[in-house]
Amino acid sequence: MSDLSTLEPPKQGASIASTVKHASPFIGSEVSGIDLKKPQSEATIAALRKLLFERAVLFFRDQHLSPEQQLKVTEYFGRPKVYGEARMGSPYPGVGLIDSIHEISGRVDRWHADLTSADEPITVRLLQAVTLPDLGGDTIWASTEAAYDRLAEPLKRLAEELKAIHAVTPISISEWDARRSNFHWTEHPVVRVHPETGRRSLYVSPRFTPEIVGLRPHESAAVLKVFFEHIIQPEHQVRFQWEPGSLAIWDNRSCLHYAVNDYGEGRRVMHGTSVEGERPVGVKS
Ligand SMILES: [Fe+2]
């Protein structure tokens, strides 16, 4: 456990110091003793950014942020991505509703980073739990940086040479039909270099990476299988059990996530905000 306030002298009268507890060896830290409803100092924001880039996902309990407050916290990590139209039925500009009653967007029980089929995928994502089922509905994240670091050297060299197609691959036939009209795909390097830290990550996912560029279909499928199975090894994972008001902030460049779909008819509603994207940079680009 470390102290976030070591980067900032504790203020007079502050009753609880922010503490940071790592949730697993390679990924995820829980930050307590911080009320994100209140404006944070430049030093605290810098410390949170640094911690996020190191740990890929941060967890906060009991925040209960209004949509406006969540957008304000989003700004600590860059310019919020605000779509021109309300998304997924959200009445709040810039804040998406992720609701389990929506078959497609509400239950993404497949490993992915968010919308990497974009040319400039979002960099940071914030998700706050609003309504939760009685049991279940956890989210799991896997560190794609730890996955790269722990890849065998010859496979690292292979991965660094490759580019992959990123597209919305369907969860169900109905989703494929819904997406066909606005199908978009792009190419990204298979090893991505983080612009803030220089760390390398394995930048592919089962949901968004159907194919490696330049390989035959059976070669591509075999190589991707190796990468996918490696990324999601339990050693690279952290699992978070949500409570109402819990907030998770993740670096969409250095981890994958999976929404565990184990709550049947239960309702799960989250508020999501995003930071504008950037074009992924590889080792050789
Ligand atoms: Fe997602």
Side-chain angles (χ1 to χ4, degrees):
M1 197 182 296
S2 61
D3 188 349
L4 194 65
S5 64
T6 52
L7 294 160
E8 182 190 19
K11 291 199 173 55
Q12 202 73 15
S15 55
I16 314 169
S18 301
T19 54
V20 178
K21 190 175 178 216
H22 292 339
S24 78
F26 292 117
I27 179 170
S29 295
E30 185 154 342
V31 181
S32 55
I34 187 166
D35 181 359
L36 292 171
K37 287 188 283 301
K38 296 179 179 157
Q40 302 297 320
S41 68
E42 288 299 320
T44 298
I45 294 167
L48 287 173
R49 288 172 57 91
K50 183 166 180 284
L51 188 65
L52 177 68
F53 300 150
E54 280 171 7
R55 302 294 302 165
V57 54
L58 304 182
F59 306 118
F60 304 82
R61 298 278 182 195
D62 299 318
Q63 295 299 318
H64 301 283
L65 305 177
S66 69
E68 294 77 12
Q69 288 166 335
Q70 184 169 336
L71 274 172
K72 194 79 204 154
V73 175
T74 306
E75 285 174 14
Y76 296 163
F77 302 93
R79 196 187 336 191
K81 172 104 180 167
V82 179
Y83 296 91
E85 59 200 57
R87 284 171 56 85
M88 301 182 231
S90 169
Y92 314 111
V95 180
L97 271 184
I98 296 93
D99 190 331
S100 57
I101 62 172
H102 296 298
E103 185 203 350
I104 293 170
S105 57
R107 300 184 189 239
V108 185
D109 50 354
R110 202 161 172 209
W111 286 99
H112 66 287
D114 283 326
L115 221 60
T116 59
S117 54
D119 294 326
E120 297 183 346
I122 57 163
T123 51
V124 176
R125 179 85 168 141
L126 293 82
L127 206 58
Q128 182 179 218
V130 178
T131 303
L132 291 169
D134 293 338
L135 188 62
D138 295 356
T139 301
I140 312 175
W141 287 262
S143 170
T144 50
E145 290 183 339
Y148 170 84
D149 290 345
R150 288 158 51 88
L151 205 57
E153 289 299 327
L155 289 177
K156 279 184 186 170
R157 291 197 290 278
L158 169 66
E160 287 164 8
E161 295 285 335
L162 298 173
K163 288 191 172 199
I165 305 285
H166 286 245
V168 179
T169 58
I171 292 176
S172 62
I173 295 296
S174 61
E175 183 186 17
W176 193 240
D177 285 341
R179 301 266 183 187
R180 195 170 292 172
S181 57
N182 58 359
F183 184 79
H184 177 82
W185 64 272
T186 191
E187 288 180 14
H188 293 313
V190 168
V191 175
R192 182 174 186 174
V193 180
H194 196 289
E196 305 275 350
T197 64
R199 284 190 70 185
R200 296 176 183 188
S201 61
L202 213 40
Y203 194 60
V204 289
S205 75
R207 171 128 170 83
F208 285 108
T209 318
E211 199 177 315
I212 302 272
V213 177
L215 300 190
R216 296 185 190 93
H218 68 281
E219 295 167 336
S220 173
V223 168
L224 283 171
K225 186 166 185 281
V226 168
F227 293 155
F228 294 161
E229 288 184 357
H230 178 69
I231 291 170
I232 65 171
Q233 282 187 326
E235 287 80 1
H236 304 149
Q237 294 182 14
V238 65
R239 183 168 180 143
F240 187 59
Q241 202 166 20
W242 301 90
E243 296 166 342
S246 296
L247 176 75
I249 304 176
W250 69 88
D251 190 330
N252 198 47
R253 297 165 288 198
S254 53
C255 58
L256 302 186
H257 57 281
Y258 181 107
V260 180
N261 187 7
D262 59 356
Y263 49 95
E265 296 300 306
R267 185 96 183 263
R268 182 179 182 271
V269 181
M270 321 291 271
H271 282 175
T273 50
S274 308
V275 173
E276 279 192 344
E278 63 197 16
R279 181 170 278 281
V281 173
V283 175
K284 299 176 184 201
S285 61

